[in-house]
Amino acid sequence: MRAHEAGILHADGYGAAPQWLPTPQDVNELLPQLWPANVERNTDGVLAVSGLPVTDIARDFGTAAYVLDEDDFRSRARAFRDDFTAPFDAVAGADVYYAGKAFLCSAVARWVMDEGLNLDTCSGGELAVAQRVGFPGERIALHGNNKSVAELRQALSYGVGRIVVDSFAEIDRVAEVAAELGVVAPVMVRVTVGVEAHTHEFIATAHEDQKFGFSLAGGQARAAIDAIVAKGDRLRLLGLHSHIGSQIFDVSGFEIAARRLVALHTEVADVHGIAMPEMDLGGGYGIAYTSEHSPLTPGELGTQMAALVDRELKELRDGHPDAPLPRISIEPGRAIAGPSAFTLYEIGTVKDVEVAHDAIRSYVSVDGGMSDNVRTALYGADYSCTLAGRTSTAGPRLVRVVGRHCESGDIVVMDEYLPADIVPGDLIAVPGTGAYCRSLSNQYNHTPRPPVIAVRDGVARVIVRRETIDDLLALDVDEPAPLQEVR
Ligand SMILES: *Cc1c(COP(=O)(O)O)cnc(C)c1O
């Protein structure tokens, strides 16, 4: 018997499961923290979203497809709006900006607007989506380390509530565009605080070798503030901004960031006599991609973040007892969009590859891959998956789920147990693909990108349609070469 048929792989490192991945007792089980709230197996064993079976979704819309549980997205947005911000009422209040770069389309912009969140954009394109649905300008932020003059003009004409400036050249540019339009530009200063967070760890450094922001340690952040103040009435200085990383599971990095921002905030009050009304601590709250991750809820995060902000604000309170405290804002993207969607694929081939003596790896190829989820190839991200169109009584088989692209790094799920009897035609679902999958998607190998199907109350609706070969060819403007006369 080959090793995988027993569900056990004995191998010298090859073909073995990573330590964090236990052999499942029941290979059909769904871990609740990985799936949108309304996803479960129906009585036929088929994965269903608020009652709608994925087999219907595959039949009606094809695969690969992103399937988004609308109520799950909305309730995560609400949990940030209510549960996260409530503990800040005792400080100076807090606002939530959904980071649109995680995933944005018109429907999502509307949900964010309906649920009373603000919106974080980082390009003229994202801003155009917001404008298309009439998202109120004052509730929009614009980020970016190289915003064009056209984007600044677009943002200021629309009346965005904050532009997060990122360079000295940009301070001049924003002031010029504001003058041209006869408006006052509300600005925040992106500060590189010297904290970089990665999942469970953060590192505090004096300098950060990266493209974003003004360095705190190098004195640039202070100089940026002086430059903004020197622009007089054209720029309105709202406050300081920092974003320390992504997929973060504990708040210690935010505490250091807040401490350093408060110190600069206090210095600005001392030197310029300005009490900046805002302070932004960015996004980065982690989600569960596999059983190894256990994120905090928005309520738990809010409680911990409000407590640490309150502690760190002591310096400001002591130095300026009469100054109003800044209102805090945060910018979660992944933590709202990520868990609310999964990608539905159809298996095309199952291939056993001998990777070492008596060690086999089962490669399961699906009808998508690095064009719809580049995170595994780009960051070595871990994902999980499950057999979606049925349950199975077969034992677990360790597999690697790969895409259909011409790259051997085209991996969707590095290691997972699926039932040993999977066959071509089976559907599988990869959870946690709501953030940074569609938004980072590409048409590698001239592969049209999958649609985004939103499901609510058991009803499916296309919110981003599937790309077609005609869409791809439409961009290709080369004229056919005139026929050569053959002599
Ligand atoms: C990417 C980004 C976010 C969102 O990060 P998540 O990890 O998705 O929460 C927020 N703010 C800024 C400035 C960002 O660049």
Side-chain angles (χ1 to χ4, degrees), residues 132-164:
R132 186 186 202 191
V133 303
F135 206 104
E138 66 276 10
R139 285 166 51 194
I140 298 177
L142 180 66
H143 276 282
N145 66 303
N146 190 15
K147 306 171 196 77
S148 68
V149 169
E151 286 171 321
L152 293 173
R153 219 173 258 141
Q154 179 187 355
L156 287 174
S157 315
Y158 194 60
V160 301
R162 52 176 67 174
I163 292 178
V164 183

Side-chain angles (χ1 to χ4, degrees), residues 99 101 120 143 190 241 243 245-247 282-285 331-334 436:
K101 75 176 200 254
D120 197 358
H143 276 282
R190 171 80 179 251
H241 180 290
H243 172 70
S246 212
Q247 189 61 352
Y285 307 105
E331 303 168 330
R334 184 192 315 272
Y436 304 111

Side-chain angles (χ1 to χ4, degrees), residues 66 345 366-378 401-413 436-438 440-445 447 449-450:
Y66 303 102
Y345 297 108
V366 296
D367 50 356
M370 65 190 292
S371 55
D372 57 73
N373 185 353
V374 78
R375 292 190 65 259
T376 308
L378 194 58
V401 179
V402 295
R404 43 156 301 144
H405 298 287
C406 300
E407 292 283 331
S408 49
D410 171 27
I411 294 167
V412 181
V413 183
Y436 304 111
C437 287
R438 182 56 174 78
L440 276 170
S441 66
N442 58 78
Q443 299 101 329
Y444 185 46
N445 300 144
T447 307
R449 290 175 294 180

